[in-house]
Amino acid sequence: MTETLRDGDLVLEPTSGSDEFTGFAIVLEGERVGTVALRGEDRRTASIRWNAGTDNIPVAVRAVRLALAYAFESLGMTRVEARIPLERLGDVRAASIAGMRREGVLRGAGDDPDRALLARIVDDPEPHSRDGFIAILNAGLPTKRVISQGLLRDERGRVLLCELTYKQEWDLPGGVVEVGEAPSVGLARELEEELGVKVEVGDLITVNWLPAWRGWDDACIFLFDLGVVDSSVTEDMTLQATEIKSVRWCDPDDVRAHAAAAAIELLEAVDAGSLPTYREAPKAAE
């Protein structure tokens, strides 16, 4: 039989139970104010849902904490997850305060809403501990896409651009920086992977913020100086065929004719001189 759970003046009273489903009424100072339920998804994983009203975040937090502890200690679960419609910000916040980490967004088809996926694992540090607080906060913070690109010129002052397999516009060599990777290290890795060359990454020229464009989220481009080389260096490059069709030395006319809008705008700003350390690119036409 499901037990009654208590946290001071807040009580979870059993309302139903089965091998798959365990429900509680949330009772505060003798008054029923909501419900919380656990459902077994498999032998070690449960899902949790609750309704404590839109303005009762503290009550929801206490109820969810009690239910989580019950799932781990009495039901033997090792993972409890919640799938919360994104517009229910109070419930997302309550889940985080209760100790659940945000893991991503589950897209909804048709009229189904997108849902935040949050979960707590049995051996996660307690949410009120230093390690637990940092882990929960870090999981919910926004991230920013970072791209590292290199400006490489030949003896005639032309700029190296890459003709890509996945879009029509040409772009500067480089790519997306991996999680935990320094931008300069990411650029060196991308150049070795995609062009087959090892380079010494020079000084940072500018950080160029790009607004959202054509379905891509906004991003920050770190543009590094790769110096001047003999144009024949391209003859020894080994291109990654899945991403790079060819590499081209381009003068300003070639850049305007073939490059991506962001690259055109950035290279024109470089050529104009007095480039700031940080700049914001204008939104390009869709």
Side-chain angles (χ1 to χ4, degrees):
M1 181 175 178
T2 304
E3 61 190 274
T4 297
L5 310 179
R6 299 180 181 275
D7 175 21
D9 59 356
L10 186 142
V11 179
L12 298 189
E13 296 181 349
T15 57
S16 61
S18 68
D19 291 341
E20 178 182 49
F21 183 86
T22 305
F24 298 91
I26 305 173
V27 179
L28 181 65
E29 296 180 342
E31 180 182 352
R32 179 168 172 159
V33 296
T35 59
V36 60
L38 293 161
R39 176 180 175 178
E41 302 298 336
D42 58 39
R43 189 172 60 87
R44 306 304 296 274
T45 301
S47 61
I48 184 171
R49 62 179 61 188
W50 62 92
N51 182 0
T54 56
D55 299 321
N56 269 344
I57 292 178
V59 171
V61 169
R62 294 170 68 189
V64 170
R65 282 180 176 169
L66 282 174
L68 289 172
Y70 179 78
F72 295 137
E73 296 168 9
S74 298
L75 300 182
M77 297 296 175
T78 59
R79 173 183 170 88
V80 180
E81 61 183 37
R83 304 183 178 198
I84 306 171
L86 293 179
E87 66 269 18
R88 286 168 46 188
L89 298 178
D91 284 338
V92 173
R93 179 167 171 75
S96 294
I97 297 173
M100 305 184 79
R101 298 188 199 179
R102 187 159 180 162
E103 295 184 344
V105 174
L106 303 172
R107 295 178 299 142
D111 295 332
D112 291 338
D114 291 349
R115 298 174 184 269
L117 174 63
L118 297 97
R120 182 163 178 80
I121 307 300
V122 65
D123 53 4
D124 280 344
E126 290 300 317
H128 57 265
S129 69
R130 179 182 181 277
D131 289 344
F133 176 79
I134 290 174
I136 292 167
L137 184 62
N138 185 64
L141 290 174
T143 57
K144 181 73 68 179
R145 182 173 297 133
V146 174
I147 301 169
S148 282
Q149 293 184 330
L151 181 59
L152 182 66
R153 297 186 185 272
D154 71 357
E155 69 278 1
R156 294 168 50 187
R158 296 178 298 178
V159 174
L160 186 72
L161 293 182
C162 298
E163 184 180 4
L164 306 171
T165 60
Y166 52 89
K167 64 180 180 181
Q168 292 183 339
E169 299 92 349
W170 302 354
D171 213 342
L172 290 161
V176 176
V177 178
E178 300 290 348
V179 175
E181 184 178 50
S184 62
V185 174
L187 177 57
R189 173 186 53 76
E190 287 282 344
L191 293 176
E192 185 169 4
E193 290 176 355
E194 297 186 351
L195 305 183
V197 294
K198 292 185 178 182
V199 300
E200 182 177 344
V201 177
D203 291 338
L204 178 69
I205 298 174
T206 189
V207 175
N208 189 40
W209 177 75
L210 299 180
W213 180 67
R214 289 188 182 176
W216 295 100
D217 290 341
D218 69 315
C220 286
I221 291 180
F222 283 65
L223 180 66
F224 290 94
D225 186 6
L226 298 181
V228 178
V229 297
D230 190 277
S231 58
S232 62
V233 71
T234 56
E235 298 173 6
D236 297 324
M237 290 182 177
T238 302
L239 306 184
Q240 188 178 58
T242 56
E243 294 196 30
I244 310 295
K245 287 183 181 179
S246 66
V247 290
R248 310 291 184 95
W249 291 111
C250 298
D251 60 25
D253 288 339
D254 296 325
V255 171
R256 285 189 291 270
H258 299 288
I264 295 172
E265 193 274 335
L266 178 58
L267 289 173
E268 287 180 345
V270 171
D271 288 341
S274 302
L275 198 65
T277 304
Y278 167 79
R279 63 193 303 276
E280 296 179 358
K283 184 173 177 61
E286 294 293 334

